[in-house]
Amino acid sequence: MASEPELKIESMDKDIRYVIDRPAQPTSRFDAQMEGSKVERPQPTLRSRTAKCIKKCTAKQVAKSFAGCFPFVNWLRSYKVREWLPSDLVSGITVGIVHIPQSMAFSILAGLAPVFGLYTSFYPVLFYTLMGTSRHISIGSFAVTSLLTQTAVVRLVPAEDPLPAIEATTIASLVGAANETTNMLGLPDFEIRRANVAAAVAFLVGIFQIAFGIFHLGFVTSFLSAPLIKALTSAAAVFVVTSQIPNCLGIAPAAAGGVGLIVRQWIEIFRVISNTNVATLIISIICIILLTLGRHININYKEKLKVPIPTEVFVVIIAILASGFGKFNENYQVIIVDNVPTGFPAPVVPDLSILPDIIGDAFSIAIVGLVINISLSKMYGLRFGYEIEPNQELLAYGMANFVPSFFFCFPSAAALARCEIQVNSGGKTQMVGFITIIVILITILVLGPVFEPLPRSVLGAIIIVGLFGILAQIGTVGELYRKSKFDFAVWFVTFGSILIFGISIGLLIGVVFAILTVIGRTQRPTCEKLGNILSSDIYRSFSKYATVTPQKGLVIFKFNSILYYANKDFFLEKLQKATGINPDEPREAHDGPQKDERLESVTCANTSMNVCESQCKEGKIDTGKTAFNPNEEQEEGQETSTAVKYVIIDCSPFSFMDLPAVEMLKSLWKKYNKLGVTLLLVNVYYEVRDMLITNEYYDLAGDNGEFLTIHDAVVYCQADLDQKDESASKDPPTELFQVSDL
């Protein structure tokens, strides 16, 4: 395929000049002139909306909406068998094989028996394949969601108490037909009760995600910034590794809980580390070395490999053969997977009585799952050039958790490692999901007992090595600190809070802190006092450019944030410093001219630009040393010009304005008016202007209270000042601005 030509923007070797000749005019006059060309969109009434909805409710539309909930109907019709099926077949078999050891490992991570991981790799994949719109994400068990699930499972069914808060007499209510299910799966009641807690979590996660899809609440995930997600996944990886260390050492430390869980858990590990099973440790080391080597080859030579090497599969096969023939469990007391029943459990309604106890855990998992799934879906959609339907994705995620919860599945999500394997092995469409289901189905129905001699330390090694990429994110913190101190603070607070307080509470703390950093920056933003550059229509800050020229009799102020109730007082404080006018003082306090050497020294700018430049070169004008910075405190006794007659506020940063801010501007206009100072607004956003009109600001300010641009307002003000200046009336009028070389 021929590569598309790249679009390059060449740098300009010569100046491209332009001259604009139009009257300086307020916004009211501009709107009056453009009255006929303004786009007016009629606001629909409730009656018209209802009639439109009723008109759409036809049998054809209902069928179309139903088909929209199951996108597989559409892509199956256009499926190119000869072109796509071979690649999808290879990818589906590869992903299905990888699913098996990963699902069993993540099931153990969730505190459950390995067989429940196989169920979680079957049902969620089935429903997402039917309802999802992404062609390349692989739904199923995932380390972070498994770890979050473990929190609820261990809390409600702790390992040290075989009959915890759930009494034996209530087992039947937890599992429905408990005897039949237990006999069929061959698992003890303890494992069944834990599986029911995990299923209840998945049930509630599904409800949350379906609700997000129905009410279009996917925007909730936007509150999780990239640094926050990195902190969450990094801290979760630390939790996961810590939880797998006992499996890799063959020890059974006491369970830890409460604040400082990580430290407490490591203390418990070191207390019993002398009981390490040497055979288990050797198996773990060998597996980690092999898996790391395979990972290195897949990453560094992926362009040369047609299909990534499924190292996990090879390690599992070797471990099963070695453990089975060597009888590791009997001879060396190596803990193995043991019972992996075949067949599917009967559907059971999750225990709804424990939903209040797990609502926090379920909400955290729902949000984290949405963020991970949507991020991966958008990433692959952008890479391969197809659209993702966000609301349909939310519904697909919800159904992939809600329905499987009736079959002892724990919460699922997309795993980046499996997604990359699916892409690198040639997956083209969602057909990969159907083929993966067949592989998992054969495993559940026939091959389950084959995995019984597999050492659990092998699964622990698979989990740990699989998290190397996430743990490597911690090494990029220094670069994050260099790029943005605020984002580093969000990462640090979230990471530390999760390690100290746990994932659910730590994530909440991180989200709140991230929001507070945004609020804090809007409460005390930077401010600028603007001036003219080389008599052009360009206005920049005095603190950034030495050639900025102030305009006599007026101040241009820019507040680099939205304006609302939380920062209006700070706005007034900075405006007072920029203008040197305290609107709350009596007028007498502002009377009496004070000398402003800089303003007097630049009056030459109104006569001849060439003369002004020559005087600047001779050092007669100092344009850099007296620059005013409203962000810095004024020195005591510093004088500011009191000849200010106009205050111009650049409103371009104001994306919205609330009622307290509008009332503040109205009050400020009245106070300035009493002092003989006129307040002008420029670059006002349409919605802000509507807010000002609704609250009668322009009834005070009049038609000339707002201008289109800063330059319009400056030209208007200088013309007005020239007319009022009695001394200027003796001299011929001079041009205010000339075309100059920039």
Side-chain angles (χ1 to χ4, degrees), residues 383-443:
R383 182 191 299 183
F384 294 100
Y386 60 88
E387 295 293 329
I388 297 296
E389 179 57 44
N391 292 319
Q392 179 60 31
E393 283 290 295
L394 295 178
L395 291 174
Y397 304 148
M399 293 301 294
N401 280 298
F402 177 75
V403 178
S405 68
F406 293 87
F407 297 91
F408 293 96
C409 294
F410 53 88
S412 60
L416 177 59
R418 285 198 310 271
C419 295
E420 283 297 301
I421 290 174
Q422 179 170 330
V423 171
N424 295 333
S425 58
K428 303 293 184 183
T429 67
Q430 294 94 320
M431 182 63 72
V432 173
F434 286 128
I435 299 169
T436 299
I437 292 170
I438 296 174
V439 175
I440 303 297
L441 179 64
I442 295 173
T443 303

Side-chain angles (χ1 to χ4, degrees), residues 223-272:
F223 288 100
L224 300 184
S225 63
L228 190 144
I229 294 174
K230 287 184 177 180
L232 167 65
T233 53
S234 299
V238 174
F239 272 99
V240 172
V241 171
T242 302
S243 68
Q244 294 307 304
I245 292 298
N247 286 333
C248 293
L249 299 180
I251 58 178
V259 178
L261 174 60
I262 286 292
V263 176
R264 292 171 180 265
Q265 189 63 48
W266 277 102
I267 291 175
E268 296 298 331
I269 290 174
F270 280 107
R271 282 180 179 173
V272 297

